[in-house]
């Protein structure tokens, strides 16, 4: 299937590692130019260099998605380097898991900020060039945890909030031919998940309880993002695609 991504310009936040890095690689493979935006500048440089070595067009930038000035600079850099901004993937995120009775305010704020404030700031900055082009794709990486997970009140709230944000933006921005969708991954095998002290239990549970009996891989998410970003998905907006192996 021709996705029409050749020559398009994509910004992927949190693209130094994991799902974001795989998504950046998938865009490069389709001939899109990618800004690898991540708070971990050196890792973003390594990821972009690897993509460029493989023949892709990728530039790294140290960006904190929770910082308004940093996000404004990100959009400025992408417009200066590539002359357009067609796709934004709001992927930066992390967990700070604890039962609510033991959850410090700092852990609540950090997770809500990176997921919600980050998506707000990046989308707001990206929408001006998208509206001007009369074309845009915003894809927000939510999580199956939007349904609610014990020990993840902050993360579940933020990822559920991201779905409301997705729908509101879809309603606002359709007239500019900007689509806004969310992808809700299940358990995906990334370093972030492998670092969990109970990783083996997580993997075993995924294999036992998921209709497709395995953990997800980063390409499962990257391929879904690619489709939503493509010319083929121009009449899909305000949707949530669960990529969970059927575990809902
Ligand atoms: N791995 C999973 O099982 C899973 C499941 C559901 C949803 N998700 C979501 O997918 C996204 C990627 O997860 P991952 O597993 O690849 O994690 P990861 O830790 O491998 O990647 C996240 C990246 O975000 C970056 N980041 C963190 N704070 C940032 C900030 N303020 N500004 C810019 N970049 C920042 C990190 O440096 C890192 O490179 C996250 O939003 C996560 O919540 C992951």
């Amino acid at each position: 299937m021709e996705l029409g991504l050749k020559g398009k310009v994509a910004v992927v936040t949190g693209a130094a590692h994991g799902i974001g890095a795989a998504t950046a690689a998938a865009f490069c493979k389709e001939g899109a130019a990618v800004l690898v935006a991540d708070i971990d500048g050196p890792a973003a440089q390594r990821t972009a260099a690897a993509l460029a070595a493989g023949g892709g067009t990728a530039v790294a930038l140290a960006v904190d998605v929770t910082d308004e000035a940093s996000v404004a600079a990100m959009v400025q850099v992408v417009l200066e380097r590539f002359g357009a901004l067609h796709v934004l993937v709001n992927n930066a995120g992390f967990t700070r898991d604890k039962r609510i009775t033991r959850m410090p305010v700092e852990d609540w704020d950090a997770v809500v900020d990176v997921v919600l404030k980050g998506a707000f700031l990046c989308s707001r900055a990206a929408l001006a060039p998208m509206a001007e082009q009369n074309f845009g794709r915003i894809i927000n990486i939510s999580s199956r945890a939007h349904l609610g997970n014990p020990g993840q009140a902050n993360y579940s709230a933020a990822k559920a909030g991201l779905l409301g944000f997705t729908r509101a933006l879809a309603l606002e921005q359709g007239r500019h031919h900007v689509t806004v969708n969310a992808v809700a991954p299940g358990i995906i095998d990334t370093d972030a998940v492998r670092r969990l002290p109970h990783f083996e239990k997580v993997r075993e549970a995924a294999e036992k309880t998921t209709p497709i009996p395995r953990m997800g891989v980063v390409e499962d998410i990257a391929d879904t993002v690619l489709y939503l970003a493509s010319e083929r998905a121009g009449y899909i907006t305000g949707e949530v695609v669960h990529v969970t192996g059927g575990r809902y």
Side-chain angles (χ1 to χ4, degrees):
M1 184 165 64
E2 176 53 54
L3 295 175
L5 288 167
K6 199 172 165 51
K8 292 279 195 312
V9 179
V11 170
V12 183
T13 70
H17 301 104
I19 290 170
T23 302
F27 275 113
C28 280
K29 223 171 166 182
E30 290 297 320
V34 181
L35 187 81
V36 175
D38 203 289
I39 199 165
D40 184 346
Q45 292 286 357
R46 286 194 294 275
T47 299
L51 294 176
T57 305
V59 169
L61 192 69
V63 178
D64 178 356
V65 298
T66 67
D67 182 273
E68 190 174 11
S70 178
V71 169
M74 172 182 84
V75 171
Q76 203 181 330
V77 165
V78 81
L79 293 176
E80 277 168 15
R81 288 296 291 260
F82 301 124
L85 200 183
H86 301 104
V87 182
L88 168 68
V89 185
N90 285 314
N91 168 75
F94 50 75
T95 52
R96 292 277 184 276
D97 296 354
K98 275 186 190 73
R99 297 273 167 182
I100 191 161
T101 44
R102 288 188 288 116
M103 184 179 289
V105 170
E106 292 74 22
D107 285 1
W108 175 271
D109 285 346
V111 170
V112 170
D113 267 11
V114 74
V115 173
L116 283 180
K117 191 177 179 189
F120 159 64
L121 289 175
C122 293
S123 302
R124 192 181 62 173
L127 275 164
M130 286 181 178
E132 215 168 282
Q133 289 157 190
N134 213 28
F135 178 93
R137 300 278 190 265
I138 296 178
I139 296 120
N140 297 319
I141 306 302
S142 177
S143 166
R144 179 189 171 280
H146 78 83
L147 294 165
N149 270 347
Q152 291 196 314
N154 49 358
Y155 187 72
S156 294
K159 292 295 190 180
L162 194 57
L163 301 186
F165 176 76
T166 300
R167 295 188 188 105
L169 233 60
L171 293 173
E172 268 184 30
Q173 300 299 322
R175 69 202 165 100
H176 299 301
H177 300 276
V178 175
T179 67
V180 189
N181 292 291
V183 175
I187 298 164
I188 309 299
D189 191 351
T190 63
D191 288 346
V193 171
R194 280 177 181 258
R195 275 196 299 271
L196 295 172
H198 54 292
F199 169 71
E200 274 312 314
K201 273 193 186 149
V202 169
R203 191 176 53 76
E204 274 169 35
E207 286 169 3
K208 273 199 197 127
T209 61
T210 310
I212 295 172
R214 63 169 173 84
M215 284 179 78
V217 293
V218 287
E219 290 77 14
D220 291 323
I221 308 306
D223 287 345
T224 309
V225 171
L226 227 58
Y227 173 67
L228 290 171
S230 76
E231 297 275 5
R232 298 301 178 113
Y235 205 50
I236 300 173
T237 196
E239 294 293 343
V240 187
V241 182
H242 287 86
V243 186
T244 61
R247 187 161 167 265
Y248 188 74

